Amino acid sequence: MQEFARRLSTLGAGVYTSDDVVDLATAADVRISADREIDAAMAQRLLNQISPTPPVTGAQITASQWPPPVSSQRAAPPVSFSSPGAVDGPADQPSRPRRPGPARSNRRPGTRPTGR
């Protein structure tokens, strides 16, 4: 229980104590005792009592490796915009058409080079 509370605290969920874990167990209708380890299923039921939900699963928090590898941690949820056209990016700007051919010289349009 103490190790579960310590791991839970490292998630930034505040400082948890064994008493807090007992309270979570009571709320989840889970029977725990000081001499019994918390398995993955029990850990998940305890984690389900916490709001906001911690970014790990019961299996991750009870795994021998702590903290879990970065690749197995949940990423932030994808962001969606309700109005995709509301933000103009560089690709949305009108562009001037390019003319094929040699690069422009510094001459004014409509003038001809003189044959001097």
Side-chain angles (χ1 to χ4, degrees), residues 11 16 29 45 48 50 52 61 68 73 82 84 87 99 105 116:
L11 296 173
Y16 278 82
D29 197 27
R45 287 179 65 190
N48 290 343
I50 300 171
I61 202 168
Q73 290 180 351
S82 60
V87 178
R99 295 182 196 153
S105 63
R116 292 186 197 178

Side-chain angles (χ1 to χ4, degrees), residues 80-89 92-93:
S80 62
F81 295 96
S82 60
S83 179
V87 178
D88 292 333
D92 298 333
Q93 301 297 322

Side-chain angles (χ1 to χ4, degrees), residues 49-62:
Q49 296 299 312
I50 300 171
S51 181
T53 305
V56 294
T57 64
Q60 289 172 317
I61 202 168
T62 57

Side-chain angles (χ1 to χ4, degrees), residues 56-112:
V56 294
T57 64
Q60 289 172 317
I61 202 168
T62 57
S64 59
Q65 180 184 0
W66 185 260
V70 174
S71 62
S72 69
Q73 290 180 351
R74 283 192 240 161
V79 177
S80 62
F81 295 96
S82 60
S83 179
V87 178
D88 292 333
D92 298 333
Q93 301 297 322
S95 60
R96 291 186 293 193
R98 294 188 154 223
R99 295 182 196 153
R104 286 183 15 181
S105 63
N106 289 333
R107 292 186 297 128
R108 291 189 314 194
T111 59
R112 294 179 174 231

